Amino acid sequence: WEAAKADEVIFAWEDATQLVRPTIFMPDGEEKLAKRKELAEGKLADLLKAIDKVVAANPGPYCFSESLTMADLVTYTKADMFLSGLLDGIPASILDPCSRLLAVHKMVGEHPKVRAWNEKQAKA
């Protein structure tokens, strides 16, 4: 059951990534910004809220349990991508309505092993 719950979250994040991926290969400019804005105000925002709803329906401080799983690490990295502000045209605030995803992102980021890995990467 846990594997199915993890897959549900991971695959939903992959769907969100797939929405954005075509815009990564578009030339910089108004068309790219317009497409990303359309996603951020429509399908992408809706999908992120749906992921948040799935995670919020599960017990535990992480995505669906009391312990860290691959679904939490994927949530951390994907949320980090959106929160970074690096995707022009997609506001870093897109996750503001997704309180459960933000809570999981924060909790995973504070995990000692994740924190140590992030510190090591920052020095590289």
Side-chain angles (χ1 to χ4, degrees):
W1 179 247
E2 283 191 8
K5 296 305 283 182
D7 285 350
E8 179 180 24
V9 172
I10 292 166
F11 294 150
W13 276 113
E14 184 58 27
D15 290 345
T17 303
Q18 290 298 328
L19 287 174
V20 176
R21 183 168 282 130
T23 68
I24 292 170
F25 301 103
M26 294 173 74
D28 289 339
E30 293 303 314
E31 183 181 356
K32 181 179 196 170
L33 292 175
K35 180 62 177 171
R36 286 185 174 175
K37 181 179 182 195
E38 176 187 331
L39 289 170
E41 293 175 353
K43 287 182 181 181
L44 179 60
D46 293 343
L47 182 53
L48 294 173
K49 289 174 193 170
I51 299 169
D52 188 67
K53 186 176 180 180
V54 166
V55 172
N58 291 304
Y62 290 103
C63 282
F64 61 88
S65 71
E66 295 290 326
S67 58
L68 188 67
T69 68
M70 191 61 176
D72 303 299
L73 294 171
V74 169
T75 294
Y76 177 75
T77 58
K78 299 296 185 177
D80 218 46
M81 175 182 69
F82 289 111
L83 293 169
S84 72
L86 293 175
L87 295 169
D88 295 343
I90 298 177
S93 61
I94 192 164
L95 287 173
D96 285 357
C98 304
S99 60
R100 192 73 170 89
L101 294 180
L102 290 172
V104 170
H105 177 266
K106 183 177 188 296
M107 182 169 265
V108 173
E110 292 171 351
H111 189 282
K113 289 186 178 183
V114 173
R115 194 172 340 142
W117 190 87
N118 283 336
E119 289 169 3
K120 184 178 178 182
Q121 298 309 306
K123 292 178 185 175

